[in-house]
């Protein structure tokens, strides 16, 4: 029954972002207006070695790597109906094992088919899957058959419009309730403009909701990309990373306020210091530069107290 519980139409979505998409950032984005919040991609090899632990002191559910105290994924009841757990995988059985550990604590499971980074691709994950439609079919149908949780995936554009549309149609046939499309190809750099017209081709070819992603930096861009592509929902990555109040209809809060609120939440939810520093560096680099006093200070921090 839960397959259809997650509603994918007319939603503003926080994209999956490595190191940034941890619990404090997801909760902050949701407070500002994000309807769906993706966690950072987590590799199945690592996650199948995790156990579920209730963290009484924080009020969280932690997934901790066995034999260590390393928290690989942390969530809480407040985000239960919004959070999407994204898996990096190249194997249906392993993906299912990972999904089964976490599926009752999240709103949906997503398979990463778009990450072009070497660590993903070399393991046959991320955008390496784009050229393996049989494997995509195997992973998605295996998860859908065995889970009561909605299962989706996120892709990039392929080399030709026709190839992208063909793959999207095959994915739709696997029975997923939605598909996220990043409007760039594997070889494109983040500074290259997203190809909204090629996302529009996918939208018109499918009957399931498409979540459009690429070049969303202001609240107004949510409407602009919807109008340009026909997509029902929109996902923001860097625009949200630089100031998560991009999701607010009231307009962005000053970046200093956003940054302070983020730090407050990282302390409240005992966020991993590496993740906090990476996210802050991205924010500071966008608004000023890392060479300044603040940027250098963040790099030197050894604890949340130092950051504060």
């Amino acid at each position: 029954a839960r397959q259809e519980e997650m509603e994918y139409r007319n939603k503003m979505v926080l994209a999956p972002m490595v190191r940034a998409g941890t619990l404090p950032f997801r909760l902050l984005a949701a407070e500002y207006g994000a309807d769906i919040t993706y966690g950072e991609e987590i590799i199945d090899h690592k996650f199948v070695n995790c156990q579920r632990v209730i963290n009484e002191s924080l009020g969280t559910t932690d997934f901790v790597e066995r034999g260590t105290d390393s928290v690989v994924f942390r969530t809480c009841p407040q985000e239960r109906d919004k959070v999407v757990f994204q898996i990096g995988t190249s194997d249906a059985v392993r993906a299912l094992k990972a999904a089964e550990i976490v599926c009752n604590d999240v709103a949906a499971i997503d398979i990463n088919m778009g990450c072009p980074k070497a660590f993903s691709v070399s393991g046959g994950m991320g955008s390496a899957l784009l050229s393996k439609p049989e494997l995509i079919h195997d992973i998605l149908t295996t998860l859908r058959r065995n889970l009561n949780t909605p299962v989706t995936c996120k892709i990039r554009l392929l080399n030709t419009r026709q190839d992208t549309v063909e793959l999207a149609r095959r994915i739709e046939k696997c029975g997923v309730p939605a598909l996220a499309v990043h409007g760039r190809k594997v070889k494109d750099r983040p500074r290259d403009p997203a190809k909204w017209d090629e996302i529009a081709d996918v939208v018109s070819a499918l009957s399931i909701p498409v979540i459009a992603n690429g070049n969303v930096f202001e609240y107004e861009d949510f409407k602009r990309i919807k109008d340009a592509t026909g997509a029902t929902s929109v996902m923001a990555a860097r625009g949200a990373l630089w100031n998560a109040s991009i999701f607010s209809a009231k307009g962005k809060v000053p970046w200093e306020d956003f940054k302070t609120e983020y730090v407050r939440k990282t302390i409240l939810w005992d966020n991993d210091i590496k993740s906090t520093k990476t996210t802050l560096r991205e924010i500071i680099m966008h608004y000023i530069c890392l060479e300044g006093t603040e940027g250098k200070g963040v790099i030197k921090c050894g604890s949340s107290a130092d950051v504060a």
Side-chain angles (χ1 to χ4, degrees):
R2 279 207 45 225
Q3 289 281 6
E4 305 313 321
E5 256 181 46
M6 186 93 162
E7 179 46 67
Y8 287 94
R9 293 189 190 278
N10 207 20
K11 296 287 186 270
M12 292 190 294
V13 185
L14 175 69
M17 289 182 284
V18 174
R19 283 254 164 100
T22 53
L23 180 61
F25 200 90
R26 297 194 303 266
L27 289 174
L28 189 52
E31 261 174 43
Y32 286 129
D35 302 297
I36 299 173
T37 54
Y38 280 60
E40 58 176 336
E41 175 198 29
I42 291 172
I43 306 301
D44 57 3
H45 283 286
K46 187 168 196 168
F47 204 69
V48 294
N49 198 29
C50 286
Q51 56 187 9
R52 180 180 185 274
V53 178
I54 298 296
N55 184 326
E56 301 285 356
S57 65
L58 286 177
T60 56
T61 305
D62 295 351
F63 295 84
V64 182
E65 203 168 354
R66 289 174 198 280
T68 72
D69 54 3
S70 165
V71 177
V72 176
F73 181 70
R74 170 171 284 159
T75 184
C76 68
Q78 292 96 301
E79 65 166 7
R80 171 69 181 72
D81 60 346
K82 285 178 190 284
V83 65
V84 177
F85 183 80
Q86 195 188 56
I87 302 176
T89 189
S90 58
D91 180 86
V93 176
R94 210 169 44 237
L96 178 60
K97 262 194 194 146
E100 282 172 339
I101 297 168
V102 74
C103 64
N104 295 320
D105 293 291
V106 296
I109 301 285
D110 186 82
I111 304 297
N112 181 343
M113 300 184 183
C115 181
K117 298 223 160 68
F119 77 87
S120 263
V121 179
S122 62
M125 302 175 289
S127 58
L129 289 173
L130 295 174
S131 56
K132 299 175 184 164
E134 284 79 18
L135 181 53
I136 288 178
H137 179 270
D138 191 22
I139 293 169
L140 292 176
T141 52
T142 301
L143 265 62
R144 284 204 76 245
R145 240 190 346 259
N146 293 284
L147 299 176
N148 283 327
T149 312
V151 177
T152 58
C153 62
K154 179 169 187 261
I155 65 168
R156 276 183 177 244
L157 300 175
L158 278 75
N159 286 333
T160 72
R161 290 169 181 253
Q162 195 183 346
D163 288 348
T164 308
V165 167
E166 217 165 277
L167 180 67
R169 283 194 172 127
R170 291 186 78 151
I171 289 170
E172 181 178 37
K173 285 201 180 96
C174 297
V176 295
L179 171 67
V181 182
H182 184 163
R184 291 185 178 86
K185 298 177 181 177
V186 172
K187 63 179 186 340
D188 290 343
R189 302 273 59 87
R191 65 175 174 272
D192 296 327
K195 299 168 178 71
W196 288 1
D197 55 326
E198 294 193 31
I199 300 177
D201 293 345
V202 175
V203 174
S204 56
L206 303 189
S207 55
I208 56 170
V210 170
I211 306 167
N213 173 217
N215 281 63
V216 178
F217 298 115
E218 304 293 337
Y219 182 78
E220 294 69 40
D221 292 338
F222 286 99
K223 184 175 184 320
R224 285 182 51 234
I225 190 171
K226 268 184 169 179
D227 291 347
T229 62
T232 53
S233 293
V234 179
M235 181 182 266
R238 285 175 302 154
L241 177 59
W242 296 330
N243 190 334
S245 61
I246 184 178
F247 294 109
S248 170
K250 295 183 202 142
K252 279 188 199 168
V253 302
W255 77 280
E256 291 280 359
D257 297 355
F258 155 60
K259 191 178 55 173
T260 306
E261 193 46 47
Y262 170 67
V263 171
R264 188 177 289 132
K265 276 194 165 39
T266 62
I267 294 166
L268 192 63
W269 297 100
D270 191 24
N271 199 47
D272 175 66
I273 185 67
K274 284 200 225 58
S275 152
T276 302
K277 283 169 63 170
T278 303
T279 307
L280 281 173
R281 283 170 57 187
E282 287 288 338
I283 298 165
I284 292 164
M285 220 154 47
H286 178 65
Y287 283 99
I288 30 179
C289 81
L290 272 183
E291 298 309 308
T293 320
E294 188 176 10
K296 285 181 174 161
V298 165
I299 292 166
K300 288 194 187 119
C301 289
S303 69
S304 296
D306 295 344
V307 171

